[in-house]
């Protein structure tokens, strides 16, 4: 319940402590999981003092228990061990301290740890933190590499020596942090975030040597996994040995089996690259030489063609062909004209032979009426009718003197006058 106070009516410190103790006393017992960071067992003392810490959130709480409670697990529990404690919160009023009174302590076994890690793995996988499309490619030649590892550790030495042996000009930004224990998770997270904030850092390596499941447990912590998933710089996980597989391996952009393997995967080998450059140069030189040889052969073949060596020959051949075609055309046209002339002469002869003028040339004459109609029968003219007589060299007028008698067939006499043509 809230306490009514004011600056004019404050309550003493002891009353505040008493009220807090009353509120805490009403709390029930709880099961708490954490890691033991401090353990105090004084000879002859009936109470054991522990400090239980949450590695993910850097929070600790004091735990007390009777000696007979701790003696049940004394052989398997030590500093750094993860335990589950059944305890009731207590408030020590004289000092204003909160602690837990443990009634039972259970060590967390490897099987339980692996089961919890598997459950956490499934949960994070469902969120997509381990998806392949989230993986970022590493730069071919990083200018500055961030390294998170233990101080003066074998992992640090392996990464630095192998990387500088492969590429002597490579530079490192090293952050030494605890890689196991209760302080490992927050300090590793802080180091990764600090390196990620440096724009010149191209890739971050988190390295640690081998160890037991409990030793590598910080690298499967949920807070660390989420922190690595949020950084923008590619991260390489090099934790333990080949069989070890903390959750950091799954969220990292590249997993290396060992710290030495991480150096090999992040930094190219200068000797191999020089050999590759030499091979590419030789390959390019051979390709260019082959191209030039083919072009030279093609040019030589083109220059040896008759059309290139004797270009006028084609014109001469065409000239001869054109001359032959012209002669052929002239002969053909001459034959056509001769045949046409012969046909024309024959046609003209036939026309002349069939022409009325030719008949007139033989002494015949054509009589025509004034309207131009030719007289074909005596019955077509009348006595004294004036006609035109057309002969070969001209024409003249004549008058009919007599016409045949239609009944007797005898000619009726009549006077006829002729006129000059």
């Amino acid at each position: 319940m809230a306490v009514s106070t004011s600056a004019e009516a404050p309550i003493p410190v002891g009353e505040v402590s008493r009220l807090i103790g009353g509120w805490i006393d009403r709390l029930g017992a709880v099961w708490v999981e954490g890691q033991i960071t401090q353990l105090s067992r004084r000879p002859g003392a009936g109470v054991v003092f522990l400090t239980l810490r949450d590695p993910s959130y850097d929070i600790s709480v004091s735990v007390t228990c009777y000696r007979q409670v701790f003696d049940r697990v004394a052989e398997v529990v030590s500093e750094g061990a993860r335990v589950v404690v059944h305890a009731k919160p207590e408030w020590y009023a004289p000092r204003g301290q909160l602690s837990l009174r443990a009634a039972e302590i259970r060590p967390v076994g490897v099987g339980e740890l692996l089961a919890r890690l598997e459950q956490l793995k499934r949960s994070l996988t469902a969120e997509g933190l381990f998806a392949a499309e989230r993986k970022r490619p590493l730069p071919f030649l990083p200018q500055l590499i961030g390294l998170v590892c233990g101080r003066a550790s074998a992992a640090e030495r392996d990464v630095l020596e192998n990387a500088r042996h492969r590429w002597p000009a490579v530079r490192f930004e090293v952050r030494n942090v605890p890689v196991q224990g209760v302080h490992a998770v927050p300090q590793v997270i802080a180091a990764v975030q600090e390196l990620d904030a440096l724009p010149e850092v191209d890739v971050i390596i988190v390295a640690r040597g081998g160890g037991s499941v409990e030793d590598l447990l910080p690298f499967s912590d949920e807070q660390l996994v989420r922190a690595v998933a949020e950084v923008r710089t590619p991260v390489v996980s090099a934790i333990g040995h080949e069989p070890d597989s903390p959750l950091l391996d799954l969220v990292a952009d590249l997993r290396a089996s060992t710290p030495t393997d991480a150096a090999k995967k992040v930094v190219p080998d200068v000797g191999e690259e020089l050999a590759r450059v030499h091979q590419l140069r030789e390959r390019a030189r051979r390709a260019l030489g082959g191209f030039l040889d083919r072009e030279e052969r093609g040019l030589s073949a083109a220059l040896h063609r008759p059309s290139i060596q004797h270009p006028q020959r084609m014109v001469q051949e065409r000239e001869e062909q054109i001359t032959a075609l012209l002669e052929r055309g002239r002969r053909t046209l001459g034959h056509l004209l001769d045949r046409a002339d012969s046909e024309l002469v024959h046609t003209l002869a036939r026309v002349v032979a069939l022409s009325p003028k030719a008949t007139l040339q033989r002494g015949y004459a054509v009589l025509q009426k004034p309207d131009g109609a030719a007289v074909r029968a005596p019955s077509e003219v009348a006595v004294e009718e004036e006609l035109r007589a057309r002969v070969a060299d001209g024409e003249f007028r004549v008058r009919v003197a007599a016409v045949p008698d239609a009944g007797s067939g005898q000619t009726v006499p009549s006077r006829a006058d002729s006129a000059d043509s």
Side-chain angles (χ1 to χ4, degrees):
M1 297 176 58
V3 179
S4 178
T5 61
S6 66
E8 291 75 18
I11 60 175
V13 174
E15 181 65 16
V16 173
S17 181
R18 186 187 65 80
L19 292 173
I20 293 175
W23 294 331
I24 292 177
D25 286 340
R26 288 194 291 270
L27 296 176
V30 293
W31 287 96
V32 182
E33 180 185 357
Q35 189 172 21
I36 298 176
T37 58
Q38 292 181 358
L39 175 59
S40 176
R41 288 188 296 174
R42 299 173 184 174
V47 178
V48 178
F49 297 91
L50 310 171
T51 299
L52 203 61
R53 185 181 183 87
D54 186 339
S56 300
Y57 295 97
D58 196 15
I59 297 175
S60 300
V61 65
S62 298
V63 179
T64 60
C65 65
Y66 292 112
R67 192 174 191 87
Q68 58 268 27
V69 174
F70 185 80
D71 287 343
R72 299 171 190 166
V73 293
E75 296 181 358
V76 293
V77 169
S78 61
E79 289 187 0
R82 295 181 71 93
V83 294
V84 175
V85 177
H86 188 242
K88 185 180 185 307
E90 290 185 347
W91 178 257
Y92 185 60
R95 293 185 181 178
Q97 291 182 344
L98 175 67
S99 64
L100 298 176
R101 173 70 68 173
E104 184 180 355
I105 300 176
R106 295 181 184 179
V108 177
V110 175
E112 294 178 82
L113 289 176
L114 294 177
R116 293 180 185 180
L117 290 181
E118 186 62 28
Q119 183 180 2
L120 178 59
K121 177 181 176 181
R122 289 195 297 267
S123 175
L124 297 179
T125 302
E127 293 184 26
L129 265 64
F130 305 151
E133 55 269 17
R134 297 186 71 257
K135 308 296 182 182
R136 291 156 294 190
L138 270 61
F140 166 71
L141 181 60
Q143 300 300 312
L144 182 62
I145 301 174
L147 177 60
V148 180
C149 59
R151 186 179 302 278
S153 62
E156 178 182 5
R157 184 178 62 254
D158 290 345
V159 172
L160 296 180
E161 289 182 358
N162 283 278
R164 287 168 179 161
H165 176 73
R166 293 172 64 83
W167 198 278
V170 68
R171 297 183 298 120
F172 280 90
E173 187 74 21
V174 182
R175 295 292 183 271
N176 294 122
V177 296
V179 292
Q180 70 181 57
V182 294
H183 301 287
V185 172
Q187 294 198 30
V188 171
I189 292 176
V192 170
Q193 292 175 343
E194 182 181 351
L195 292 173
D196 183 56
L198 299 177
E200 60 271 19
V201 173
D202 297 322
V203 63
I204 300 172
I205 300 176
V206 182
R208 187 201 189 285
S212 64
V213 175
E214 293 85 350
D215 294 338
L216 302 181
L217 198 59
F219 298 97
S220 293
D221 186 86
E222 181 178 359
Q223 300 301 318
L224 176 59
V225 171
R226 293 188 181 277
V228 171
E230 293 176 357
V231 299
R232 59 174 181 81
T233 308
V235 176
V236 177
S237 174
I239 306 301
H241 302 298
E242 180 65 33
D244 300 320
S245 182
L247 297 185
L248 182 62
D249 287 352
L250 302 178
V251 75
D253 299 290
L254 179 66
R255 188 250 180 182
S257 58
T258 62
T260 301
D261 184 51
K264 293 180 179 180
K265 290 183 176 180
V266 172
V267 181
D269 185 84
V270 62
E272 293 178 359
E273 297 304 321
L274 289 176
R276 186 176 292 111
V277 171
H278 179 72
Q279 292 175 358
L280 292 175
R281 284 180 175 175
E282 290 299 324
R283 181 180 177 184
R285 186 177 291 109
R286 290 194 300 269
L288 183 59
F291 174 77
L292 293 177
D293 290 342
R294 289 193 302 272
E295 295 300 318
E296 184 178 1
R297 289 194 298 270
L299 180 60
S300 177
L303 292 176
H304 284 82
R305 290 179 179 177
S307 59
I308 300 298
Q309 290 186 337
H310 304 285
Q312 68 278 6
R313 179 179 300 175
M314 183 182 297
V315 178
Q316 294 173 353
E317 293 176 354
R318 295 294 183 270
E319 181 182 8
E320 295 174 357
Q321 293 177 1
I322 292 174
T323 301
L325 291 174
L326 286 175
E327 291 298 329
R328 180 180 177 184
R330 288 193 183 95
R331 290 194 300 273
T332 302
L333 182 59
H335 294 327
L336 292 174
L337 291 177
D338 291 343
R339 188 162 54 251
D341 181 68
S342 176
E343 292 177 355
L344 183 59
V345 170
H346 289 87
T347 303
L348 180 61
R350 288 196 299 272
V351 169
V352 171
L354 298 175
S355 173
K357 187 175 181 181
T359 304
L360 297 178
Q361 290 289 348
R362 294 197 298 270
Y364 292 94
V366 177
L367 295 178
Q368 293 177 318
K369 291 187 176 184
D371 57 1
V375 178
R376 294 178 176 80
S379 59
E380 294 179 354
V381 298
V383 178
E384 299 298 328
E385 184 178 0
E386 193 172 287
L387 303 174
R388 284 191 303 168
R390 188 169 182 176
V391 293
D393 293 332
E395 63 178 20
F396 55 88
R397 290 189 298 275
V398 296
R399 183 175 292 126
V400 178
V403 297
D405 187 1
S408 60
Q410 295 180 354
T411 303
V412 178
S414 178
R415 181 180 177 182
D417 296 329
S418 61
D420 294 334
S421 59

